[in-house]
Amino acid sequence: MLAYLECHTTSYQYYQKLRRLTNPAFPDSVPNCYAELHQVKRQWQNVKEIIKFGFAHNGKQPGEGDLAYFCAGSPQPGINLPKDWKNDPEKWKYHRSHCGDGCPLQVHQEPLTEENDIWLKSSEGFMTEKSRYAEHLASAEECKDLITCHEHQALKDRSRIHKGCDVTGICSVACMRHGAFVPTAQVDMQKGERQMNMDYATIKACCT
């Protein structure tokens, strides 16, 4: 992590460094454990989050959004609001403002076998819970929007073929004032940026 933050070292470069430290004379003779390095990295990050948010060695299980930081500047009853904030005639000061957008670059390749696709987290972080999200997608109806903007890539991306990918991007909702992502309000896209994806992310943001 420090090598990445300070030197912008990629995981592959870090792995090559480990091989040379293991056997400086013949680094190519070191067994290829590049895939295992990625697995250990994800597990290490997950363990660090569990410790950081106070769920280590106490038997407690994190719930939705418990392993993600909420926007510190957003109004939160019991944290940064006065006790009588509901009696304030200017309640507009305590409203939360959100903005949403999609990123078509965060694609995910479909795993070859389901048993190798192990989820370390479901909805404890910023991503939403996948089973309820899948139920929403199965019941939602897609609206065919008329493209009125020239070269609107977000809508044109619906018909783009992503061979071998089960995720074609991410829809995210963030605090409009401070830009912090809302926990459990980040969802996957399957066929470009569709309204049904952003609707679910917006609902989760309003319920958080």
Side-chain angles (χ1 to χ4, degrees):
M1 183 65 71
L2 185 61
Y4 173 76
L5 292 176
E6 295 295 337
C7 305
H8 303 285
T9 304
T10 64
S11 58
Y12 181 75
Q13 292 172 336
Y14 182 73
Y15 168 71
Q16 291 295 96
K17 177 182 178 180
L18 293 179
R19 295 182 74 178
R20 293 186 178 276
L21 290 176
T22 303
N23 193 337
F26 303 99
D28 293 337
S29 64
V30 178
N32 189 351
C33 299
Y34 184 60
E36 288 78 1
L37 176 64
H38 278 282
Q39 295 174 0
V40 171
K41 173 189 174 183
R42 296 188 185 99
Q43 293 175 0
W44 178 79
Q45 289 177 334
N46 187 52
V47 170
K48 292 288 289 184
E49 289 179 351
I50 292 175
I51 296 174
K52 179 168 57 177
F53 288 96
F55 291 96
H57 309 296
N58 54 16
K60 297 181 180 179
Q61 295 295 326
E64 285 196 358
D66 286 343
L67 299 183
Y69 285 114
F70 194 83
C71 179
S74 293
Q76 302 177 66
I79 297 179
N80 57 5
L81 294 184
K83 295 182 179 180
D84 58 343
W85 68 273
K86 292 185 178 180
N87 300 325
D88 193 336
E90 298 181 347
K91 290 185 178 180
W92 60 268
K93 297 184 297 184
Y94 310 115
H95 290 174
R96 295 177 183 172
S97 301
H98 295 138
C99 59
D101 197 5
C103 177
L105 302 179
Q106 301 294 331
V107 299
H108 179 264
Q109 290 186 344
E110 189 174 2
L112 298 178
T113 55
E114 291 294 335
E115 56 268 17
N116 292 334
D117 190 20
I118 301 175
W119 291 69
L120 298 179
K121 292 187 295 184
S122 178
S123 60
E124 295 85 359
F126 288 99
M127 299 299 296
T128 192
E129 203 276 324
K130 60 177 183 177
S131 61
R132 291 195 295 268
Y133 180 51
E135 294 176 358
H136 163 75
L137 295 178
S139 60
E141 296 183 2
E142 181 180 1
C143 298
K144 300 293 184 179
D145 297 330
L146 180 63
I147 301 178
T148 59
C149 298
H150 179 64
E151 293 295 330
H152 192 185
Q153 297 298 330
L155 292 178
K156 291 176 63 177
D157 194 60
R158 293 179 180 178
S159 58
R160 180 181 174 185
I161 299 176
H162 296 269
K163 187 176 181 180
C165 295
D166 57 354
V167 175
T168 62
I170 293 179
C171 287
S172 300
V173 177
C175 173
M176 185 179 294
R177 298 178 181 178
H178 312 98
F181 289 115
V182 181
T184 72
Q186 325 304 317
V187 301
D188 294 329
M189 296 189 297
Q190 296 75 33
K191 295 181 181 179
E193 189 174 347
R194 296 181 295 176
Q195 192 62 46
M196 63 176 67
N197 303 121
M198 189 56 69
D199 286 345
Y200 192 86
T202 304
I203 292 174
K204 293 297 295 183
C206 294
C207 296
T208 302

